[in-house]
Amino acid sequence: MFRLRRYRYYVFFAAIIVFLLYRASTNSEEWKSVSASIPLRKAPPKSPPPRGSEKPPAAGNDGTRFTHQDDDLSQKFLKGAPKEADVKIPNLKPTVAEEGVDKHGRLPTVTKGSNEGSKVVVYDKEGAAKTTTAPLIDIPDKNVGQGAKGAGKGENPDPKKVKPNAATTAIHWTKVPEHFPIPKGEIIPLPTGKPEAIPPVQHVFEKESASAREERRVRLAKVKAEMVRGWGGYITYAKGHDELSPISKKFRDPFCGWAATLVDALDTLWIMGMKDEFEEAVLEVEKIDFTTSSYRSEIPVFETTIRYLGGLVAAYDVSGGKAGGYNILLEKAVELAEILMGVFDTPNRMPVLYYNWKPAFASRPKRAQGSVSVAELGSLAMEFTRLAQLTKQDKYYDAVARITDAFYEWQERGTTIPGIFPEHVDASGCNRTAEAEIAAKEAEYNKVDEAVSGSSKRDDLGGEAVSGPGESPGGGFSDNAVSRRSVNKVSRFTNLASGDKDKCVPQGLAPGGWSTAEQYSMGGSQDSTYEYFPKQWLLLGGLEPKYKTLHTRVAAAVKKWLLYRPMVPDDRDILFSAKINTNGNPEVDASTEWEVTHLTCFIGGMFGMGGKIFNIPEDVEIGKRLADGCVWAYESTPSGIMPEGATVVPCAEANNCHWNETLYWQYLDPLYATRNQQIDEYQTKLKELKAEKAQKKEHTSDGVQKRAPPPVKMTTPNKDTLTQVARLEDALDINAGSRAAAAAAEGKADQAPLSEANDEAEFPELQRPISHEEYVKKKIDMDRLPPGFVSASSKHYILRPEAIESVWYMYRITGDTTWQDKGWKMFNAIVTHTQTTVGNSAINDVLSPTPDKSDEMESFWLAETLKYFYLLYSDPNVLSLDEWVFNTEAHPFKRPV
Ligand SMILES: *[C@@H]1O[C@H](CO)[C@@H](O)[C@H](O)[C@H]1NC(C)=O
Ligand SMILES: *[C@@H]1O[C@H](CO)[C@@H](O)[C@H](O)[C@H]1NC(C)=O
């Protein structure tokens, strides 16, 4: 799924800047060609007009074609399935803050309480309900003394709005010789042997009651109706293109124009029994030419892998593999994979993540970038592994196994927060610090050389001129000093990754970017790398223990550093995962964003499934609370849909957490103390002025002219702070309120309406500052914050799947039907606000009861969101988690038996 959106521009520019820095630091002719491989982004030309006729969406919502035997739905039933118009969706009421919350309670203590396990009902393998003691959840207390640091990230522009390039090109990718091939004998083979006995993931479901079955089937049919309409809209208005624009009935091509929605939806069509549509789509797949694109000069490797490669491989798997007869799906997967293999042709075999596929560029040597996102680097594993299994070609596995090995080595070597990785990774394999040290040393030597010989030197070993700051032009060669330098050079340059002429000082993966700041979270740009560790372990039948180790350490780090319980009005026992910023010493300098982001919602499923397969009951419990966190976030908004990104208040103790409105207000207004102080000062000053005036009145009776009172200067000791906060908030666009407060502090008269209006009129020079209470009320009102939310910096919803994904995992893992009910509320809210006549659209503001639609339907709506909803109400044996494992785009791959 598209978890990288918010950071894509940043990553892109970071990559360019790092690359330019790198280029500036090296002077080798050999690598000059690499500059050509920088991804180009042309100004997007206009979108082509909508396709000709305005014919209605394809029929097919009568469900008569439902023939899939895996499900228990009969064709008969589906004939009676409600049509689009029959779907009546009730509006959800926004959650209202509980009355009577304690405003005068104490601060949560930071001492760890004894945490007794709570009684919960669980279902054992035999399916018998019994009461048991839930495993203890032991996450450390949080240092919550950083109230002001909970601000959410700002929105980045959507980099996906790449429009078709009018200039079509006849250029095709062609296979080029590798520069850094792996010797035959060193290709890492797929692990072989009998798969491990892995504990079952799924609950053993009992036979359901007739009424439960009936309700489930009604829901299932409504989910399918959305798929039928969306698919019909796509085929009618956007067939062959990447995405349908579901309001304008046009299309967009952000993913090279290879029919992303069509490929992404293949397995969903099959699972839902839309076999005719599936076959029509397979015919379209045949026509896709992955060797060219008139829309993009570089292939986004991560998106292409998870959507296209994953989609093709999964469609092949679910349709029966070899026996299914849709061999074209595997053939096209191989065709695409062969192109993508070019990205691994680098000195350290780490991939280039934006692949300039045109032969003129693809044929040149290249390096992986110095700042890539963890997610993009680590989320290729499953797709290439499954392809290797299906084709029995170890090279596909080798390509991704080397990335895993690099992560494994890095985790062992140690990161700033042990177990997890910083968001930006230097995958280049070259140590710029060491290179800079060498360059500095060389400059030193050159100085010495000049002092000795009075001329510039040539670096014989590297074959390159070595310039020092004091180099005199036109100087000749001198042998005097070279020998001394050469000794040093030999010892410095024997370890080159790719030949003598390259100044690369090799290293493994390292923090990327150019600052020392590192970010750690489970959110966008990081997420799916973590998601893939346990899933890859399953896909390999438990035969590669590195994945288990990787996951175990990740889970431990997440529990220790990131998980927190938010303070919410009904004291619900839920969890979220935070984001930590550190400059390298997190025990001391970590600052935490108590974020709630839709992308992070996947980790409920990750913890749940990890807990099952590695037999850690605590993790299953954590998974439930994480999934419930997102359920809460959905329930909290007027639309019933969770925002893309927000922040909340953390509890100091996960096991002792009570709503405290005073504390909530302090998070909403970190400057509460200053404000109260200013109000006090104001009152004092006002008294003084009144007294003064009263005195003067006596004087005027003497005939003395009335004087203006002496100018009163409000003490604003925190003006700088206020302005700073306002600037920050300006940048984040979260808070008009404190801007006003800062303006007031600067004397720009933006005062609150007052009961003391008379005073104001009387003493216009005395400006009344805004009080804490006024500020908070204004902020809640202006930002329309639901109770418990401190900010909601990204209010949109783009049809994302992560929340329902985790709800579905919890249902399949626990068998608890309340998850189906939670999912149903989500479904109704989403459909109510996103439905259009030909599909579903992203919306701009979930905090509005009537959000505007933004005319975008991501391919993951059909590939993931509707699939997870469908599987929540299908027979639990459809794509059982004990037989299938899903990639991050919800494409199911067959697990080995
Ligand atoms: C609520 O929060 C305020 C402000 O932090 C604190 O002074 C008070 O003691 C808290 N109340 C309780 C019951 O913890
Ligand atoms: C890069 O080089 C510096 C200086 O030689 C060294 O301290 C550091 O550990 C190296 N980094 C990696 C990731 O090897």
Side-chain angles (χ1 to χ4, degrees):
M1 53 213 77
F2 202 85
R3 287 176 178 140
L4 293 152
R5 172 162 299 96
R6 291 169 60 197
Y7 305 103
R8 279 270 301 276
Y9 262 128
Y10 178 59
V11 168
F12 173 67
F13 287 116
I16 287 196
I17 287 167
V18 166
F19 181 80
L20 291 177
L21 284 174
Y22 171 70
R23 284 294 306 155
S25 73
T26 172
N27 213 10
S28 159
E29 283 303 310
E30 188 86 21
W31 291 95
K32 204 160 262 175
S33 56
V34 177
S35 61
S37 68
I38 298 179
L40 296 170
R41 267 170 215 260
K42 296 204 184 108
K46 273 193 85 180
S47 180
R51 298 163 63 85
S53 63
E54 290 282 292
K55 61 182 160 128
N61 53 353
D62 59 4
T64 49
R65 291 163 185 153
F66 189 89
T67 54
H68 198 265
Q69 336 160 300
D70 281 348
D71 207 327
D72 60 351
L73 276 171
S74 65
Q75 293 188 42
K76 223 197 245 167
F77 168 73
L78 272 160
K79 272 183 183 152
K83 297 202 170 61
E84 179 191 332
D86 299 335
V87 184
K88 280 256 157 47
I89 316 283
N91 279 316
L92 282 175
K93 287 194 198 98
T95 307
V96 178
E98 269 193 7
E99 293 294 276
V101 286
D102 180 9
K103 289 192 187 185
H104 310 289
R106 292 168 305 129
L107 254 179
T109 62
V110 283
T111 43
K112 205 163 214 156
S114 70
N115 38 9
E116 302 290 322
S118 54
K119 291 277 182 186
V120 294
V121 176
V122 300
Y123 296 87
D124 66 8
K125 273 178 79 175
E126 284 68 49
K130 64 178 184 189
T131 304
T132 186
T133 302
L136 288 186
I137 291 183
D138 186 19
I139 59 175
D141 299 341
K142 297 293 172 233
N143 175 14
V144 295
Q146 313 181 54
K149 288 183 177 154
K153 278 260 181 204
E155 268 296 89
N156 282 333
D158 182 356
K160 263 198 61 205
K161 286 187 172 144
V162 182
K163 296 274 166 52
N165 186 341
T168 49
T169 172
I171 300 174
H172 286 260
W173 171 89
T174 52
K175 204 167 183 66
V176 293
E178 285 202 311
H179 293 276
F180 310 98
I182 308 244
K184 267 255 148 30
E186 290 173 28
I187 289 178
I188 303 172
L190 277 165
T192 51
K194 193 176 156 15
E196 297 266 296
I198 295 172
V201 179
Q202 290 218 152
H203 174 74
V204 178
F205 288 84
E206 284 188 33
K207 208 168 154 48
E208 64 197 331
S209 70
S211 64
R213 182 184 170 88
E214 179 56 23
E215 182 178 44
R216 181 170 65 74
R217 290 169 147 199
V218 168
R219 290 171 171 182
L220 192 66
K222 288 183 178 177
V223 174
K224 187 177 173 182
E226 293 303 301
M227 177 70 187
V228 167
R229 196 183 62 258
W231 177 257
Y234 169 77
I235 285 295
T236 307
Y237 301 107
K239 183 170 162 182
H241 291 276
D242 285 344
E243 285 174 11
L244 168 72
S245 300
I247 294 172
S248 59
K249 298 176 182 162
K250 295 181 184 175
F251 52 80
R252 308 192 309 150
D253 282 293
F255 297 115
C256 299
W258 297 328
T261 294
L262 185 135
V263 175
D264 232 4
L266 284 167
D267 52 14
T268 309
L269 292 173
W270 183 272
I271 293 158
M272 293 193 185
M274 298 165 68
K275 190 142 181 266
D276 289 351
E277 289 87 343
F278 178 83
E279 296 203 326
E280 182 189 358
V282 171
L283 293 179
E284 286 298 312
V285 168
E286 244 180 300
K287 297 182 202 160
I288 300 171
D289 185 356
F290 290 119
T291 68
T292 193
S293 169
S294 43
Y295 300 95
R296 291 187 76 151
S297 56
E298 95 287 359
I299 297 172
V301 174
F302 163 78
E303 298 288 355
T304 302
T305 301
I306 64 168
R307 298 191 199 218
Y308 288 108
L309 189 57
L312 290 167
V313 166
Y316 179 75
D317 257 355
V318 297
S319 63
K322 205 172 187 147
Y326 297 99
N327 276 331
I328 183 69
L329 296 171
L330 187 58
E331 285 164 27
K332 294 304 275 191
V334 168
E335 179 188 319
L336 176 58
E338 281 301 308
I339 296 166
L340 293 176
M341 285 299 280
V343 307
F344 301 101
D345 182 23
T346 62
N348 62 351
R349 301 297 295 184
M350 292 298 110
V352 168
L353 290 165
Y354 291 85
Y355 182 42
N356 201 325
W357 52 270
K358 293 179 184 173
F361 304 108
S363 60
R364 298 176 186 180
K366 50 194 150 305
R367 275 197 192 291
Q369 283 105 341
S371 183
V372 302
S373 74
V374 170
E376 287 185 278
L377 186 60
S379 312
L380 315 172
M382 293 181 72
E383 295 77 6
F384 279 90
T385 297
R386 185 61 190 143
L387 187 68
Q389 291 173 334
L390 289 169
T391 59
K392 304 200 164 39
Q393 292 275 320
D394 283 333
K395 65 176 182 181
Y396 300 129
Y397 180 69
D398 173 278
V400 290
R402 284 171 194 275
I403 302 174
T404 301
D405 288 351
F407 275 118
Y408 186 78
E409 185 272 329
W410 195 12
Q411 200 184 50
E412 293 253 293
R413 180 170 17 110
T415 51
T416 299
I417 294 186
I420 50 180
F421 308 102
E423 178 159 316
H424 304 290
V425 180
D426 182 351
S428 70
C430 296
N431 187 329
R432 280 174 287 136
T433 313
E435 284 164 18
E437 283 172 10
I438 290 168
K441 279 228 177 73
E442 280 182 358
E444 279 291 303
Y445 288 128
N446 279 354
K447 265 189 197 156
V448 174
D449 294 344
E450 273 158 42
V452 170
S453 68
S455 66
S456 68
K457 296 295 170 286
R458 203 185 127 80
D459 170 19
D460 292 339
L461 276 149
E464 301 161 14
V466 178
S467 302
E471 185 177 13
S472 58
F477 294 98
S478 161
D479 289 329
N480 290 350
V482 167
S483 56
R484 178 166 46 82
R485 265 193 315 145
S486 303
V487 174
N488 283 286
K489 267 215 145 338
V490 169
S491 60
R492 277 184 255 129
F493 280 98
T494 41
N495 283 345
L496 296 186
S498 61
D500 298 318
K501 288 176 184 166
D502 179 12
K503 284 190 175 180
C504 177
V505 179
Q507 67 171 8
L509 296 178
W514 56 91
S515 86
T516 55
E518 298 175 20
Q519 291 85 41
Y520 291 82
S521 82
M522 292 288 116
S525 292
Q526 317 206 16
D527 45 24
S528 42
T529 286
Y530 301 116
E531 175 189 343
Y532 272 20
F533 294 147
K535 289 180 166 183
Q536 179 78 347
W537 188 80
L538 284 179
L539 188 58
L540 292 168
L543 293 171
E544 178 44 84
K546 277 177 190 159
Y547 290 102
K548 181 175 181 175
T549 307
L550 279 162
H551 172 78
T552 310
R553 289 175 181 162
V554 166
V558 172
K559 282 185 250 184
K560 175 166 184 218
W561 289 95
L562 301 182
L563 292 189
Y564 69 95
R565 180 172 167 185
M567 187 183 79
V568 294
D570 61 359
D571 288 352
R572 213 182 280 195
D573 193 359
I574 55 178
L575 294 172
F576 286 112
S577 180
K579 177 177 213 165
I580 289 190
N581 300 283
T582 168
N583 282 310
N585 188 2
E587 299 283 355
V588 177
D589 71 7
S591 79
T592 311
E593 292 172 43
W594 307 106
E595 63 177 21
V596 168
T597 81
H598 202 290
L599 285 170
T600 315
C601 285
F602 83 97
I603 64 164
M606 180 181 91
F607 265 89
M609 196 179 73
K612 291 303 275 191
I613 61 179
F614 300 127
N615 204 4
I616 314 165
E618 183 199 26
D619 284 7
V620 178
E621 207 56 38
I622 286 173
K624 287 182 200 167
R625 290 175 205 195
L626 284 164
D628 267 332
C630 295
V631 169
W632 170 81
Y634 267 71
E635 287 177 5
S636 299
T637 66
S639 65
I641 303 172
M642 174 181 174
E644 177 80 1
T647 60
V648 292
V649 180
C651 283
E653 287 178 87
N655 294 306
N656 179 21
C657 180
H658 303 287
W659 177 251
N660 177 341
E661 188 125 343
T662 311
L663 184 61
Y664 176 51
W665 279 28
Q666 291 178 356
Y667 269 83
L668 287 168
D669 179 16
L671 297 174
Y672 64 94
T674 306
R675 272 187 236 289
N676 289 341
Q677 186 195 338
Q678 286 179 330
I679 288 284
D680 287 348
E681 284 172 5
Y682 168 80
Q683 299 293 4
T684 311
K685 211 75 213 175
L686 191 65
K687 254 194 212 134
E688 283 173 23
L689 283 178
K690 279 185 169 164
E692 206 176 309
K693 194 172 174 182
Q695 236 180 353
K696 264 178 242 140
K697 252 192 186 136
E698 288 169 20
H699 290 312
T700 41
S701 59
D702 301 341
V704 177
Q705 267 281 306
K706 186 177 177 178
R707 254 191 324 137
V712 175
K713 209 164 180 294
M714 277 294 296
T715 14
T716 52
N718 289 293
K719 188 184 120 183
D720 285 350
T721 331
L722 278 168
T723 313
Q724 239 173 0
V725 167
R727 267 198 211 114
L728 176 75
E729 289 171 344
D730 248 344
L732 299 172
D733 194 26
I734 54 169
N735 197 337
S738 71
R739 284 201 289 282
E746 280 174 19
K748 282 192 201 137
D750 184 14
Q751 299 103 21
L754 299 171
S755 52
E756 299 102 324
N758 291 339
D759 294 332
E760 257 188 278
E762 208 172 343
F763 306 106
E765 69 286 352
L766 182 61
Q767 284 158 0
R768 183 188 177 283
I770 190 165
S771 74
H772 172 53
E773 187 182 353
E774 287 161 344
Y775 174 85
V776 167
K777 287 184 168 159
K778 196 170 168 191
K779 177 174 169 125
I780 290 176
D781 185 49
M782 282 180 57
D783 295 352
R784 291 169 290 130
L785 292 173
F789 284 77
V790 174
S791 72
S793 54
S794 300
K795 299 184 178 65
H796 56 277
Y797 171 68
I798 61 167
L799 306 172
R800 285 197 190 283
E802 295 79 14
I804 191 60
E805 174 181 341
S806 281
V807 165
W808 174 68
Y809 272 97
M810 294 328 306
Y811 172 64
R812 287 289 183 95
I813 287 169
T814 65
D816 178 353
T817 56
T818 59
W819 292 107
Q820 290 179 311
D821 300 334
K822 291 167 183 172
W824 193 239
K825 272 191 177 176
M826 290 181 178
F827 180 79
N828 284 334
I830 292 171
V831 169
T832 299
H833 296 294
T834 67
Q835 202 174 57
T836 77
T837 55
V838 298
N840 294 74
S841 168
I843 51 176
N844 67 346
D845 184 359
V846 298
L847 300 186
S848 159
T850 52
D852 286 336
K853 298 187 177 77
S854 44
D855 198 21
E856 283 169 23
M857 187 173 95
E858 290 265 4
S859 72
F860 51 63
W861 168 246
L862 303 185
E864 300 190 66
T865 315
L866 284 180
K867 186 186 286 147
Y868 286 129
F869 274 121
Y870 187 84
L871 293 174
L872 182 60
Y873 306 110
S874 73
D875 185 290
N877 294 320
V878 179
L879 296 181
S880 162
L881 286 166
D882 294 318
E883 291 162 27
W884 299 85
V885 58
F886 289 68
N887 88 338
T888 193
E889 189 77 1
H891 294 307
F893 302 152
K894 204 143 185 51
R895 282 173 52 181
V897 280

